Amino acid sequence: MKKQIFILSLIIWCLSSALVCANVPLMPVEDIVPGMRGIAKTVIEGDTIEEFNIEVLGVIGNDAMGHNILIKASGDVIDRSGGIAQGMSGSPVYINGRLAGAVAFGKAFTDPKYCFLTPIGRMLDLLNEPAPRPSEFLPKNTPLMAGGFTESGVRYLSEKLEPFGLKATGVGGSGSFSSTQPLQPGSAVGVSLMRGDIQLGALGTVTWVGDDGEILAFGHPFMQRGDSCYFMNKAWILASLPNLESAYKVGNIGETIGTITQDRSAGIAGKIGQGPPVVPVYVSVTDGARGINNSSRVEVIDDEVLLPAMLDAVAYNTVAKTMDREGGGTARFSFRIDGRGDVSGPINVQRENMYYAAAGIGKLINQELVEAGTILTQNKFEKVDIYGVNINIVLDDKAEVAEIISAAVREKEAAPGDTVHIDVQLQPYRAPKVTKTVLFKIPKEQREGKLPLTVRGGSSLAWIQNLLRKQREEGVPAQQKDNRKTLNDFIKSINEADQNNDLIVDIAAGQGAPNAAMQSGGGFASMLEGSPMKQKTTMNFIVDGTTDIVIDVVK
């Protein structure tokens, strides 16, 4: 009997312990007045929750725009941390045993012991998906810890994150230590966008934990994306480092323990349990000159806006790690993206190309990958679920480039439907000239007479492609309405686009083409797409330059 009573008492104690977080009494902002004192909870080393003292200095704001509470912090924890540090955001503040709000680091004070709190009432509204208010706390450039990134990889990542108001630092990230303690108010918590061999995320503090595993944290937005789907992670704090601008916590982001579902002005909200949907990404990079291979296997959050930038950053970082040098060279780049569209069904984007640059080859090769990712995730036709991305890159420090010098047709004349031989003379970089023979089939509908052809390299129009890409990014109107009507049309244009190492023979634009499309004059777009009679031969080097030839067509 005593044993049964003991077990029952133990169960009741466990249940009461689990409910204490959610059942803590709250203090409305209306009850808070200057001079009140309380305590706040946070972690500045490992996963041990410690307390520091706070004093309320005043309340500002109104019911329409929301209130904020100005406090001054003090105590041994604040002295050791260098003041209110980045990463303390979300630290719960209790006054007379009642939860009043969360530290919301963000306002710049000369004295780091001062900060504002976000009232707990505003944070609890996150669980009901409120209409967002503008944030007063989070400045632009939220620091993200980039684990597994090279120095140049961090710089490149910061460039890509700048439009989202984020910046990356190479301090912290992934590590071997992670907390084994359950989340509770004051615990360190990680929010991440990427996990695996490379990790990207931020640290904050848990404010409140609900009975069903819901949590509130940060006290300010992460990116203020509203409905969100980020990784929620365990965290281990290595140290809080003083800094001239502001102190900041450095730590390891550990295992995924749930999903962050709300990211709004008052903070972030999520639920412990199942993690968010992910996009698996695998990158393999080989430096042929050194015989070195590196790979990165990561999972990225399934975010339509962030995914293209994340793919770009992962690929670049793996290249930077493998090359271990700044400079140019030749790259053979291929990628495959698999997914499923709501309308189109199974989707496959598969692309190969070659690139050369005298300097900065790593920044050049990802353009088509980013463009394909953007089309799939941000197209206007249908939602696409991406199942996986595979990227393969082979680098060499040589210039594998050749320029077209001349071209000649062997046959003096040919009939519609005949196949002719075209000998193309090329000048490789610092090597003897070579001649390559390509075939061209004359259209069966071709009229009798002179047929002008253009022989060109796949990279000879790269400057036009880059110009059009830049114009699209800047919103410059196209010269002609895009004829692509479905997502599959865009995917086809990616899969069938010219490669820089293609040797291309095509009917000269507007010169005797047997189809109306070529006669309509579509400007740059038609130049890039070419005629339906365009024929390509893939070389093992980049082909540049262009020349014209004429075939006599006889009946």
Side-chain angles (χ1 to χ4, degrees):
M1 182 67 177
K2 290 182 178 180
K3 184 177 181 181
Q4 291 175 331
I5 293 174
F6 172 77
I7 294 174
L8 181 61
S9 300
L10 182 62
I11 292 173
I12 293 173
W13 180 84
C14 290
L15 289 173
S16 63
S17 298
L19 296 174
V20 68
C21 296
N23 291 338
V24 63
L26 308 179
M27 176 170 282
V29 68
E30 295 81 6
D31 294 350
I32 299 174
V33 296
M36 284 184 164
R37 297 178 182 273
I39 59 101
K41 297 182 178 182
T42 198
V43 175
I44 62 170
E45 185 175 355
D47 61 357
T48 302
I49 298 174
E50 301 184 65
E51 297 181 356
F52 59 90
N53 301 319
I54 69 96
E55 179 183 357
V56 176
L57 301 180
V59 178
I60 63 172
N62 53 53
D63 291 337
M65 296 303 296
H67 296 87
N68 298 305
I69 307 160
L70 179 62
I71 67 164
K72 180 180 180 180
S74 61
D76 176 64
V77 170
I78 295 299
D79 293 338
R80 287 188 286 129
S81 67
I84 300 293
Q86 297 180 31
M88 284 188 180
S89 303
S91 297
V93 173
Y94 301 88
I95 298 174
N96 298 328
R98 301 163 70 188
L99 179 58
V103 168
F105 180 85
K107 289 286 188 180
F109 292 101
T110 304
D111 189 335
K113 294 181 179 179
Y114 293 86
C115 75
F116 281 99
L117 306 183
T118 298
I120 187 60
R122 283 187 61 192
M123 295 187 70
L124 287 170
D125 285 342
L126 291 172
L127 303 177
N128 299 317
E129 300 181 13
R133 293 170 175 165
S135 172
E136 296 186 23
F137 287 123
L138 183 66
K140 292 291 184 182
N141 299 322
T142 301
L144 295 178
M145 296 187 304
F149 280 82
T150 65
E151 184 177 347
S152 61
V154 171
R155 290 196 301 268
Y156 188 76
L157 176 65
S158 292
E159 293 175 11
K160 299 303 172 182
L161 292 176
E162 187 175 358
F164 305 104
L166 302 169
K167 67 178 180 180
T169 173
V171 179
S174 56
S176 57
F177 292 101
S178 181
S179 175
T180 58
Q181 302 297 321
L183 289 187
Q184 55 184 302
S187 295
V189 66
V191 177
S192 57
L193 309 175
M194 182 190 309
R195 67 184 181 187
D197 295 335
I198 302 173
Q199 191 146 20
L200 183 66
L203 292 173
T205 304
V206 176
T207 306
W208 176 91
V209 180
D211 300 344
D212 59 354
E214 290 182 314
I215 75 155
L216 299 172
F218 276 36
H220 61 57
F222 177 44
M223 291 187 289
Q224 203 162 354
R225 296 288 301 279
D227 293 340
S228 307
C229 218
Y230 313 137
F231 296 113
M232 181 197 301
N233 303 89
K234 287 286 189 70
W236 181 271
I237 304 302
L238 300 176
S240 178
L241 305 179
N243 186 278
L244 289 177
E245 183 178 343
S246 65
Y248 60 93
K249 291 183 183 182
V250 176
N252 297 331
I253 295 176
E255 64 177 306
T256 301
I257 56 171
T259 302
I260 299 298
T261 58
Q262 291 293 311
D263 177 13
R264 299 183 184 270
S265 62
I268 61 173
K271 189 167 185 177
I272 299 170
Q274 185 174 354
V278 300
V279 176
V281 180
Y282 177 74
V283 183
S284 173
V285 179
T286 300
D287 186 338
R290 302 167 63 208
I292 294 176
N293 175 267
N294 279 305
S295 63
S296 298
R297 194 179 297 274
V298 301
E299 291 180 326
V300 181
I301 61 168
D302 188 7
D303 185 284
E304 294 181 349
V305 176
L306 291 174
L307 182 61
M310 296 295 98
L311 294 178
D312 191 3
V314 172
Y316 176 85
N317 186 73
T318 312
V319 168
K321 180 181 178 181
T322 306
M323 286 182 61
D324 195 23
R325 64 181 174 87
E326 296 289 342
T330 302
R332 299 173 187 270
F333 186 95
S334 64
F335 67 85
R336 177 186 175 114
I337 304 177
D338 292 297
R340 186 176 185 85
D342 286 348
V343 177
S344 302
I347 284 174
N348 170 248
V349 178
Q350 196 160 355
R351 181 74 176 144
E352 296 183 11
N353 213 338
M354 286 185 69
Y355 298 90
Y356 169 76
I361 183 66
K363 293 185 177 181
L364 174 67
I365 59 181
N366 295 335
Q367 289 180 349
E368 290 181 296
L369 173 66
V370 173
E371 188 170 6
T374 302
I375 287 174
L376 291 180
T377 59
Q378 301 173 31
N379 75 87
K380 64 182 180 181
F381 303 105
E382 57 185 287
K383 185 181 185 304
V384 175
D385 293 320
I386 296 179
Y387 298 151
V389 181
N390 285 275
I391 303 166
N392 186 65
I393 303 169
V394 179
L395 303 162
D396 202 303
D397 56 5
K398 299 181 179 64
E400 299 179 39
V401 181
E403 183 178 2
I404 295 174
I405 302 300
S406 63
V409 184
R410 291 183 187 176
E411 292 79 8
K412 293 183 178 180
E413 56 185 31
D418 285 353
T419 298
V420 298
H421 298 74
I422 302 173
D423 296 322
V424 183
Q425 190 178 51
L426 301 117
Q427 176 64 69
Y429 180 75
R430 294 181 177 177
K433 295 177 182 178
V434 296
T435 299
K436 298 291 183 179
T437 300
V438 296
L439 304 178
F440 182 80
K441 185 174 182 179
I442 299 173
K444 292 182 179 180
E445 304 84 3
Q446 183 61 42
R447 296 186 295 269
E448 188 175 9
K450 302 291 186 182
L451 175 60
L453 298 179
T454 296
V455 181
R456 64 177 177 86
S459 70
S460 61
L461 291 181
W463 68 274
I464 298 180
Q465 293 172 324
N466 291 332
L467 174 62
L468 291 178
R469 183 180 289 112
K470 187 172 187 296
Q471 287 179 341
R472 284 197 301 270
E473 292 172 353
E474 295 176 353
V476 177
Q479 291 189 4
Q480 186 183 42
K481 186 176 180 180
D482 199 324
N483 291 322
R484 293 174 291 188
K485 302 296 185 183
T486 68
L487 177 59
N488 279 330
D489 291 337
F490 281 86
I491 293 173
K492 182 180 179 182
S493 68
I494 295 173
N495 290 342
E496 297 181 358
D498 297 343
Q499 298 176 196
N500 292 329
N501 54 320
D502 281 340
L503 186 54
I504 301 165
V505 181
D506 197 2
I507 297 174
Q511 300 294 322
N515 60 84
M518 284 299 298
Q519 301 288 355
S520 61
F524 280 161
S526 291
M527 291 176 64
L528 289 174
E529 186 177 349
S531 80
M533 308 307 166
K534 179 174 67 177
Q535 295 165 45
K536 302 184 287 187
T537 303
T538 301
M539 301 292 169
N540 62 353
F541 48 81
I542 295 170
V543 185
D544 196 10
T546 182
T547 189
D548 295 321
I549 58 175
V550 177
I551 297 177
D552 287 324
V553 179
V554 296
K555 294 292 186 178

